[in-house]
Amino acid sequence: MTPAQHEAIRLLYLEGRTYREIAREVGSTWDAVRNYVRRHRDRWGERASAPEPDPVAQERERARAAAQVAELRQLVSRRAVIEEWRDAIRQAALAVEPPELVPAALETGSFDEETAVLILSDVHVGQHTPGRINGGWTHTLDVTREQFRRLGQALLRIWDIQRRSIPWRELVILDLGDDVEGDNMRASQHRIADPLVVQQVAAYGRMLAELVLTALQVFARVRVERVPGNHGRTTQRPGNAGLAELDPIDSYDWLAGEFAREILREAIAQGRVELINHDGYYAVTEIMGHRIVFEHGSSLRGGASWGGIPYYGVDRAAAAYRDLEGPYSVLALGHFHRPYDLPSAYGGVVVGNGAFPPTTPFVVASKHQATRPSQTLLSIHPKQGVTMIRRLYLDTRRDAANAAA
């Protein structure tokens, strides 16, 4: 320590300050201050008495410090977990070189270019339900993988039909969440989820990346924009919009997107893929000059008012989003596992997406319903807006014996 620090220590000690306070004032350590004082205090004379402590002030300071420590721990913990996840992903995910465009993708059609929009949601990777409790449909991770493969094939077939008249150069994938099933949202879920949710994350990340790589054979660019769903939350209790209590990105759905990003990093570096993992409850984007609003749909209330769809809740949400974000051409929603489209204001449309599983034990037991598995494909024209809404069906085999059991 410098002579100036030594003199400051002497004066502060004589004022009655504690070792910790002195160390903080002079920029030294508690041990160094204590050792210096012990060696020299006999020559310094009488020390002033410390002021009488104020119990109220002490308790207030203690409470403030405790609150600051708790907040810091929460922030550090969340940041540490996110960084740890990302490091693990980088080690586990092997980047894949994007494929070359097929020659037909370089041809031009007879009409204006449009953009293909695939609405992807409610995949529920990890739903493991035997047919006997699932209306006859056995749903497993292998079934989901096969559905993803057929989704990619359907996309290529429709592109081949479309290119003869209206060229598609870009594909936008709007991922609305519930990509994973989760494994601890409620006690009953423990029996119908396999593998564990961290393994579901890796499986979905790979399937999403493979779908993008398949699309890159015929699309010059693929943009993926994602929001989380309620099944991806890390907490048992729902927070805002049915997502995690702490933050929307406290989500296994969000993490699965980061896994896919690492697999696709070569294609991203080449400028052929863009992946936006939104960190809010909903997101707004622009496609062909048209504004698109999308969220998972777990924020909607009102029950199944019509055909298994909360029509009035959807209609209210469509109007509220217009007040909140201004005019839009499409509001895309998932969550209800039933495809639908409804007009909204002048020129707008609400598009509800289907799901990969035909049903769930809860729906079979309480609603006695199943819905044909599907995802939704749109085409957007720069002037006309939505020119096509098409369902891509992902049928799975039904066991008649289990259906009748």
Side-chain angles (χ1 to χ4, degrees):
M1 289 187 289
T2 66
Q5 285 177 307
H6 291 161
E7 179 61 16
I9 290 173
R10 185 182 71 83
L11 294 174
L12 292 170
Y13 176 78
L14 293 175
E15 289 177 7
R17 306 287 284 275
T18 65
Y19 292 151
R20 194 173 302 279
E21 290 172 336
I22 296 171
R24 189 164 50 245
E25 289 282 344
V26 303
S28 185
T29 65
W30 181 87
D31 284 335
V33 169
R34 183 193 61 173
N35 293 337
Y36 182 76
V37 169
R38 284 181 173 178
R39 290 198 304 269
H40 298 90
R41 61 186 173 188
D42 292 341
R43 302 196 303 270
W44 290 347
E46 191 68 21
R47 186 187 185 195
S49 300
E52 194 69 24
D54 180 355
V56 175
Q58 284 185 326
E59 189 60 32
R60 185 184 298 116
E61 182 61 30
R62 188 179 297 112
R64 185 183 298 112
Q68 290 174 343
V69 168
E71 182 181 7
L72 183 61
R73 281 177 178 168
Q74 187 181 64
L75 291 173
V76 170
S77 175
R78 187 175 69 186
R79 181 68 180 175
V81 168
I82 290 174
E83 290 300 325
E84 185 176 352
W85 280 349
R86 282 178 170 159
D87 289 343
I89 286 170
R90 290 189 183 102
Q91 294 173 10
L94 299 177
V96 178
E97 190 74 22
E100 296 291 333
L101 283 170
V102 299
L106 303 176
E107 299 174 1
T108 58
S110 306
F111 299 94
D112 295 338
E113 179 182 337
E114 298 187 11
T115 293
V117 180
L118 176 64
I119 301 178
L120 181 67
S121 74
D122 300 281
V123 180
H124 291 278
V125 168
Q127 179 181 321
H128 190 88
T129 45
R132 65 181 181 80
I133 61 170
N134 205 49
W137 286 278
T138 296
H139 204 83
T140 66
L141 179 56
D142 287 338
V143 171
T144 305
R145 286 196 179 106
E146 174 60 21
Q147 287 178 300
F148 246 102
R149 187 187 64 81
R150 285 191 281 117
L151 179 62
Q153 291 178 340
L155 191 61
L156 295 182
R157 284 197 302 271
I158 295 171
W159 173 87
D160 190 48
I161 296 169
Q162 185 84 356
R163 72 178 178 84
R164 304 173 195 277
S165 56
I166 300 172
W168 278 342
R169 306 290 184 206
E170 182 178 19
L171 170 67
V172 177
I173 299 176
L174 300 180
D175 188 335
L176 310 186
D178 270 11
D179 304 314
V180 300
E181 170 65 17
D183 59 14
N184 196 32
M185 292 179 68
R186 60 186 73 89
S188 61
Q189 191 187 39
H190 297 170
R191 296 186 61 221
I192 62 169
D194 184 61
L196 296 173
V197 68
V198 291
Q199 296 169 305
Q200 296 169 23
V201 163
Y204 181 80
R206 292 190 182 99
M207 284 186 273
L208 176 60
E210 287 167 7
L211 178 65
V212 171
L213 291 168
T214 297
L216 285 175
Q217 297 175 72
V218 295
F219 291 95
R221 298 174 304 278
V222 176
R223 170 159 46 111
V224 183
E225 300 202 35
R226 313 180 68 255
V227 289
N230 60 302
H231 269 256
R233 69 177 186 246
T234 60
T235 57
Q236 287 190 339
R237 292 175 59 86
N240 294 328
L243 307 184
E245 293 178 281
L246 181 62
D247 192 288
I249 65 169
D250 189 17
S251 166
Y252 292 111
D253 283 342
W254 181 89
L255 183 60
E258 294 302 306
F259 200 104
R261 185 194 304 280
E262 290 303 317
I263 299 174
L264 296 169
R265 59 179 178 263
E266 294 297 330
I268 293 171
Q270 293 179 20
R272 294 192 62 194
V273 171
E274 182 181 9
L275 195 152
I276 304 171
N277 220 2
H278 292 282
D279 55 8
Y281 309 106
Y282 68 95
V284 182
T285 191
E286 186 173 295
I287 302 173
M288 280 280 174
H290 294 271
R291 300 183 77 234
I292 313 295
V293 181
F294 58 101
E295 69 147 287
H296 175 63
S298 52
S299 69
L300 272 63
R301 296 291 180 266
S305 58
W306 175 77
I309 303 162
Y311 173 81
Y312 301 109
V314 169
D315 194 56
R316 285 193 298 269
Y321 268 125
R322 189 163 272 106
D323 290 340
L324 182 65
E325 294 292 344
Y328 57 81
S329 297
V330 177
L331 170 61
L333 300 170
H335 188 61
F336 295 102
H337 293 206
R338 284 177 174 263
Y340 60 90
D341 52 272
L342 304 169
S344 176
Y346 187 85
V349 62
V350 180
V351 179
N353 199 31
F356 276 58
T359 188
T360 69
F362 169 77
V363 172
V364 168
S366 61
K367 309 293 184 184
H368 317 300
Q369 293 176 339
T371 304
R372 190 178 184 186
S374 70
Q375 299 290 276
T376 306
L377 183 66
L378 312 179
S379 187
I380 298 184
H381 184 276
K383 293 182 180 178
Q384 302 301 324
V386 178
T387 59
M388 181 190 79
I389 301 176
R390 184 165 184 167
R391 312 297 176 198
L392 306 183
Y393 293 107
L394 307 172
D395 298 328
T396 63
R397 188 178 65 83
R398 188 183 189 192
D399 185 340
N402 280 326

